[in-house]
């Protein structure tokens, strides 16, 4: 294979307790997966069809990183989410087979240009510029399911500058991990290296320059970082 120029480096995230890296193929995200967050956004709680969107693989940000405040927004929001990492995939994956495709779990932040998203929603426009911008996906090291299993319950929380902003339990998700993988695999061919951000609970709010976050999936993963 001869490329016309040097390809961009493979995006990857750390694997806990390992010097191996998890190479990122795609980043899928689900919206409105906690009833309390759907309500705070003034949206109905829908259990029929999940709302999906994507971020580019190279939007991942390493644990402990300092990132610049993004361009084109005055209302950057945090959304703390459990992140699911896949080591295999396919299409039309049955719910009962879904967890066998999971490599492991982490915690991440779906950074959102909320002001742009509100304007896009009002026009019925795609969300890309609100969700899929550079460095919009801080994510912790991935913890292997071979070591931690498949948690059905765990406290998910986010502190900013030491003050708690968001707290819930992943058991509150409207679509659980198996259902999300099943639904996504009807729309996309899932592959090894895919990351899935599984939605955020209530308490989303603004991040300002200098703010530091501490996200936690209790007993599983932690993520720190800050806005420069
Ligand atoms: Mn989100």
């Amino acid at each position: 294979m001869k490329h016309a120029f040097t390809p961009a480096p493979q995006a990857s995230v750390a694997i806990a307790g390992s010097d191996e890296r998890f190479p990122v193929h795609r980043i899928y995200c689900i919206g409105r997966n906690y009833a309390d967050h759907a309500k705070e956004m003034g949206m109905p709680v829908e259990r029929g069809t999940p709302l999906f969107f994507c971020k580019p693989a190279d939007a991942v940000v390493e644990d402990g990183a300092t990132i610049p405040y993004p361009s084109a927004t005055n209302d950057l929001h945090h959304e703390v989410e459990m992140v699911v990492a896949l080591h295999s995939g396919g299409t039309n994956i049955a719910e009962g087979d879904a967890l066998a495709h999971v490599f492991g779990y982490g915690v991440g932040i779906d950074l959102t240009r909320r002001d742009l998203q509100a304007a896009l929603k009002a026009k019925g426009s795609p969300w890309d510029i609100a969700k899929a911008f550079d460095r919009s996906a801080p994510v912790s090291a991935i913890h292997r399911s071979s070591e931690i299993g498949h948690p059905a319950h765990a406290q998910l929380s986010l502190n900013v500058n030491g003050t708690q902003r968001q707290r819930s339990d992943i058991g509150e998700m409207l679509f659980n991990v198996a259902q999300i993988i099943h639904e996504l695999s009807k729309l996309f061919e899932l592959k090894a290296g895919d990351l899935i951000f599984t939605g955020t609970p209530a308490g989303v709010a603004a991040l300002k320059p200098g703010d530091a976050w501490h996200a936690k999936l209790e007993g599983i993963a932690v993520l720190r970082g800050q806005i420069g």
Side-chain angles (χ1 to χ4, degrees):
M1 171 98 61
K2 193 176 174 189
H3 293 116
F5 50 87
T6 306
Q10 170 69 52
S12 67
V13 296
I15 297 171
S18 172
D19 58 2
E20 293 179 334
R21 306 272 305 172
F22 181 89
V24 181
H25 174 245
R26 290 182 184 167
I27 304 175
Y28 297 102
C29 306
I30 181 169
R32 299 171 200 156
N33 200 27
Y34 288 79
D36 60 356
H37 173 62
K39 284 178 191 152
E40 76 176 346
M41 299 302 292
M43 302 306 293
V45 176
E46 294 183 45
R47 290 181 166 79
T49 308
L51 168 70
F52 292 119
F53 57 93
C54 295
K55 291 177 187 267
D58 66 357
V60 291
V61 173
E62 195 78 9
D63 180 32
T66 298
I67 62 170
Y69 193 87
S71 64
T73 184
N74 292 306
D75 196 21
L76 176 71
H77 271 207
H78 55 72
E79 299 189 354
V80 67
E81 314 200 355
M82 176 170 74
V83 177
V84 179
L86 304 186
H87 60 60
S88 57
T91 55
N92 297 312
I93 298 169
E95 269 184 53
D97 299 330
L99 295 185
H101 297 283
V102 175
F103 174 86
Y105 298 88
V107 63
I109 302 178
D110 166 15
L111 291 174
T112 302
R113 288 165 165 156
R114 191 71 73 200
D115 42 2
L116 293 191
Q117 187 195 32
L120 296 165
K121 278 184 184 173
K123 289 191 291 189
S125 297
W127 288 9
D128 302 57
I129 62 170
K131 289 289 197 179
F133 54 94
D134 296 328
R135 295 174 290 274
S136 60
V139 60
S140 74
I142 303 299
H143 294 251
R144 296 175 193 260
S145 50
S146 59
E147 294 169 4
I148 63 160
H150 297 281
H153 291 273
Q155 188 178 287
L156 175 66
S157 64
L158 179 75
N159 284 17
V160 176
N161 304 331
T163 301
Q164 190 167 87
R165 295 269 187 97
Q166 295 188 263
R167 182 166 68 91
S168 187
D169 189 288
I170 57 169
E172 296 294 317
M173 292 194 297
L174 299 172
F175 294 90
N176 66 27
V177 172
Q179 290 167 327
I180 292 169
I181 290 171
H182 168 67
E183 292 292 336
L184 264 179
S185 73
K186 295 195 283 189
L187 299 165
F188 303 94
E189 181 179 354
L190 298 179
K191 295 202 169 171
D194 287 341
L195 293 177
I196 305 171
F197 278 62
T198 56
T200 198
V204 301
L207 289 167
K208 300 196 158 32
D211 282 353
W213 58 76
H214 182 195
K216 199 181 334 177
L217 186 58
E218 189 75 44
I220 298 170
V222 296
L223 169 69
R224 286 186 167 84
Q226 60 187 332
I227 308 290

